[in-house]
Amino acid sequence: MLFYAKLLLVAIASIMDYHLALWFLVVFLVIYILTQQPVFQKLGISNKLTPLQLEALLTEGKTSRYWLVEFRAQCSSTCIRASRIFPELSIAYSNKNVSFGIVDLGLFPNAAEKFGISLGGSMGQLPTYILFENNAEINRFPAFGFEEKFSHPHITKKLIAHHFQLDRLRIESVHGD
């Protein structure tokens, strides 16, 4: 709706004076470039964790067999764009065997090294998703040694679900394997 309103304003401004329309476009282009999309605040069925809480959950093993954890930083634009995906995945795939957690490496940067995540440069490894099974890392996205070349792969629910075989884990949970 707002997009159509902006187009209407540009059309009206261009009828009145094309200089006004150009200034309107320049101002909104600057606003678009300088502002960021807000972080998605809903958690779904995922838990915000500190690194100590994550370590305790993994070592105790009293909760879920699998933990899919998203490591992100709210200062990373890639993490902000992907922030909507993880809660939706947690709603679709959470069960007694699979739990979801989020660790904010912007708040706990020292934890990045423990989990093999590089925060250097443009934070090209964020967000990083790691699947743990009984305190052992079994899969991660992006893989070790990933260095951002030109752009981070576009993260989608389908990509994450396929990479971590979340459908298989859900079926295992149903069948009790």
Side-chain angles (χ1 to χ4, degrees):
M1 184 77 168
L2 289 174
F3 177 72
Y4 292 123
K6 287 179 189 176
L7 287 177
L8 178 65
L9 284 174
V10 168
I12 292 172
S14 64
I15 291 172
M16 292 181 357
D17 183 19
Y18 75 93
H19 289 99
L20 180 63
L22 289 176
W23 275 110
F24 182 81
L25 288 174
V26 167
V27 167
F28 276 100
L29 184 62
V30 168
I31 290 172
Y32 177 76
I33 290 172
L34 295 179
T35 59
Q36 263 189 346
Q37 173 184 345
V39 177
F40 189 70
Q41 295 297 323
K42 296 180 182 174
L43 290 176
I45 305 176
S46 58
N47 304 302
K48 280 194 175 183
L49 303 169
T50 66
L52 291 175
Q53 289 172 326
L54 175 61
E55 194 171 327
L57 286 170
L58 294 174
T59 54
E60 290 174 6
K62 295 178 182 174
T63 55
S64 296
R65 179 177 170 191
Y66 297 100
W67 274 89
L68 181 58
V69 181
E70 177 186 41
F71 294 90
R72 64 179 176 194
Q74 292 195 6
C75 60
S76 167
S77 61
T78 308
C79 294
I80 291 170
R81 284 191 302 273
S83 64
R84 177 177 300 274
I85 294 166
F86 202 69
E88 291 174 1
L89 279 173
S90 71
I91 291 170
Y93 293 101
S94 263
N95 57 51
K96 64 182 179 176
N97 285 336
V98 181
S99 294
F100 292 78
I102 298 170
V103 176
D104 189 347
L105 293 179
L107 299 174
F108 307 102
N110 296 338
E113 185 179 330
K114 181 180 186 317
F115 294 101
I117 302 168
S118 171
L119 293 181
S122 64
M123 294 191 178
Q125 287 190 336
L126 292 180
T128 296
Y129 302 90
I130 301 178
L131 181 64
F132 296 96
E133 179 182 11
N134 300 329
N135 196 23
E137 178 182 326
I138 58 172
N139 200 352
R140 78 168 39 215
F141 179 83
F144 271 121
F146 171 81
E147 290 297 326
E148 183 176 21
K149 302 293 185 218
F150 296 105
S151 67
H152 200 278
H154 185 68
I155 298 171
T156 62
K157 289 185 287 188
K158 184 177 180 180
L159 174 72
I160 298 299
H162 178 70
H163 185 81
F164 293 105
Q165 300 176 350
L166 294 176
D167 289 320
R168 179 186 59 83
L169 296 178
R170 183 170 36 182
I171 290 170
E172 282 180 8
S173 173
V174 170
H175 293 298
D177 293 337

